[in-house]
Amino acid sequence: MKNTLIIGASPRSSSYANMAMHALEEAGHKTLLYNPTGRKVDDREVYTDIKDIQEKIHTISLYVRPSRLASIVNELIASKAKRIIFNPGTEDDEIMRQFSNAGLEVLEACTLVMLRTQQY
C-alpha cells in the first residue's frame, strides 16, 4: 500500500483526480487529498495546507497546472515523498527539475494507466 497525495482533488466525478482517487483506493492504496479550496470530496476532508499532513507520503500525483503548483513546490519537497507523478497537462521542466534535484523520482505518466497496467 502506498499513501498517495492527490494534488488538485476534486468532487467532480468526471475529473481525472477523482477517478484516480477511486482507482487508487480500489487497488488498496490510501489517498490523501489536497485542494486549497477545501471542498470535501465524497464527504472526505481535504487538506488545504500540505504542512497539516502528518502521514508519510509515498507518491504525489498531480492534477493541477504548473502555475498552481509553483507555490507549494517547497512544501511538497519537504514532505519527503519518494516519487511524484506529473499526469498529462501538469508537466513543467523547471518544477520537474526541482523535484528531481531534491531526490524525488519524477515520472511523466498517468496514474490511471499505471494502475491499469500494474506499474504503480
Side-chain angles (χ1 to χ4, degrees), residues 10-65:
S10 172
R12 290 181 300 111
S13 61
S14 62
S15 77
Y16 287 110
N18 190 287
M19 289 181 221
M21 176 191 75
H22 289 288
L24 284 161
E25 291 174 354
E26 287 171 14
H29 302 287
K30 181 172 184 177
T31 58
L32 306 165
L33 309 176
Y34 170 84
N35 190 316
T37 66
R39 292 183 308 188
K40 288 187 177 187
V41 176
D42 295 349
D43 291 327
R44 294 181 51 200
E45 293 297 321
V46 175
Y47 291 97
T48 58
D49 191 333
I50 302 298
K51 294 174 190 167
D52 291 340
I53 300 171
Q54 300 298 312
E55 297 182 63
K56 186 174 176 89
I57 299 167
H58 181 276
T59 300
I60 300 167
S61 187
L62 302 175
Y63 290 95
V64 294
R65 293 186 305 274

Side-chain angles (χ1 to χ4, degrees), residues 63-79:
Y63 290 95
V64 294
R65 293 186 305 274
S67 61
R68 293 187 179 253
L69 180 62
S71 65
I72 60 170
V73 166
N74 291 331
E75 292 174 31
L76 292 174
I77 289 171
S79 77

Side-chain angles (χ1 to χ4, degrees), residues 101-119:
N101 290 343
L104 278 82
E105 176 185 5
V106 174
L107 301 173
E108 285 185 68
C110 174
T111 298
L112 291 167
V113 171
M114 289 177 70
L115 284 164
R116 287 187 189 122
T117 58
Q118 298 172 349
Q119 297 178 58

